[in-house]
Amino acid sequence: MRILMVEDEKYIAEAIAQVLRKNNYSVDLVYDGNDGLDFGLTGIYDIIILDIMLPKMNGIEVLKGLRKNGIEAPVILLTARGETEDKVNGLDSGADDYLPKPFHTDELLARLRALGRRKSELINDGILKYGDIAFNPQTLLIFCGNKESKLTLKESQLLELLIKRNGMITSKELIIKKLWGYDTEAEDNHVEIHVSLLRKKVNHLESQVAINAIRGAGYVLKIKEGD
Ligand code: CA
């Protein structure tokens, strides 16, 4: 797996890269936003680790540039203390995860493993799978073991989005755009209502999958530990 790391604090970047290489990742390091965008646009990276505060061009702009040009590699944003606004901004601009600084390299490795693993668990014959649930977007039926439940259209769109986000955080903003379109009066509480309805159905199936709310950021599918 090839990783691009964009971080201007060179000694931190080198130290992290060393740990990643020891764990069998190929790592390319660049130290400013311009290079970050140039390297990222090559499209050769499986994951991009992107600091927000960077010389020449900040991380959010780099991220927007990548997404605008069709680069879909998962992006982990590195946020400093007090950059909550940037975090939300980043998730809305297409980041998949964020890691507040300072972090332990074990935490970063865990995130990377999770992002790598997710790729393989997705679609099979049009059936979406996540953890122990399977969902058929054609029939709106959701299965877990020998139980099944029928979703409404909005619930199914929501579940499909969360599954496709593949364990990454999905902002309310993005949910609104996906479920109701750009020109809409739908608000956060619409999202909350549909999440709560969907969560009830998933819980009813006694699934190990949970829809977790991440305060100030959005929602994420998690697989509960120990079944
Ligand atoms: Ca920085």
Side-chain angles (χ1 to χ4, degrees), residues 6-9 51-55 101:
V6 192
E7 163 66 88
D8 58 312
E9 286 161 84
D51 189 27
I52 290 185
M53 296 295 282
L54 289 168
K101 290 203 250 183

Side-chain angles (χ1 to χ4, degrees), residues 3 7 10 14 32 39 45 50 69-70 73 81 84 90 99 121 123 128 138 142 146 153 157 169-170 184 200 208 212:
I3 295 176
E7 163 66 88
K10 290 192 181 175
E14 298 284 357
D32 68 58
F39 276 66
Y45 298 100
L50 187 57
N69 287 284
R81 231 192 310 240
T84 324
L99 200 51
E121 292 174 349
I123 306 165
L128 296 168
Q138 313 286 297
I142 176 174
N146 53 10
L153 187 58
Q157 288 170 337
I169 298 166
T170 309
T184 174
K200 272 190 195 137
Q208 59 179 201
N212 289 353

Side-chain angles (χ1 to χ4, degrees), residues 111-206:
R111 306 283 181 103
L112 292 174
R113 277 195 300 274
L115 286 175
R117 202 186 303 133
R118 280 167 197 154
K119 273 189 181 170
S120 58
E121 292 174 349
L122 279 180
I123 306 165
N124 241 318
D125 305 329
I127 305 292
L128 296 168
K129 287 187 180 164
Y130 194 86
D132 59 359
I133 62 173
F135 167 61
N136 185 337
Q138 313 286 297
T139 60
L140 308 190
L141 286 172
I142 176 174
F143 305 90
C144 176
N146 53 10
K147 298 189 173 185
E148 65 169 69
S149 183
K150 177 111 178 178
L151 302 184
T152 65
L153 187 58
K154 282 276 182 280
E155 289 161 2
S156 74
Q157 288 170 337
L158 177 61
L159 180 63
E160 186 170 346
L161 175 61
L162 291 173
I163 291 177
K164 284 184 173 165
R165 292 284 295 162
N166 222 349
M168 303 170 202
I169 298 166
T170 309
S171 70
K172 287 182 182 172
E173 193 78 33
L174 180 62
I175 293 173
I176 289 173
K177 280 180 193 158
K178 291 277 187 186
L179 269 63
W180 286 277
Y182 281 87
D183 189 19
T184 174
E185 291 180 356
E187 288 173 1
D188 284 4
N189 66 323
H190 292 82
V191 174
E192 286 153 20
I193 290 165
H194 289 280
V195 167
S196 142
L197 292 169
L198 176 61
R199 189 182 275 140
K200 272 190 195 137
K201 289 188 182 172
V202 172
N203 289 345
H204 179 70
L205 297 174
E206 293 171 17

Side-chain angles (χ1 to χ4, degrees), residues 29-112:
L29 274 183
V30 293
Y31 307 109
D32 68 58
N34 277 353
D35 284 349
L37 183 57
D38 282 350
F39 276 66
L41 287 177
T42 61
I44 62 170
Y45 298 100
D46 300 298
I47 296 179
I48 298 170
I49 302 170
L50 187 57
D51 189 27
I52 290 185
M53 296 295 282
L54 289 168
K56 296 189 184 172
M57 184 190 290
N58 74 43
I60 303 286
E61 288 174 280
V62 173
L63 173 60
K64 285 183 179 165
L66 292 172
R67 293 297 186 244
K68 200 175 71 190
N69 287 284
I71 301 295
E72 290 176 351
V75 169
I76 302 179
L77 284 178
L78 303 181
T79 59
R81 231 192 310 240
E83 288 178 347
T84 324
E85 212 170 289
D86 285 340
K87 177 183 84 187
V88 175
N89 209 337
L91 291 166
D92 284 342
S93 305
D96 303 282
D97 202 353
Y98 64 90
L99 200 51
K101 290 203 250 183
F103 54 85
H104 198 278
T105 44
D106 284 347
E107 178 64 25
L108 177 61
L109 287 169
R111 306 283 181 103
L112 292 174

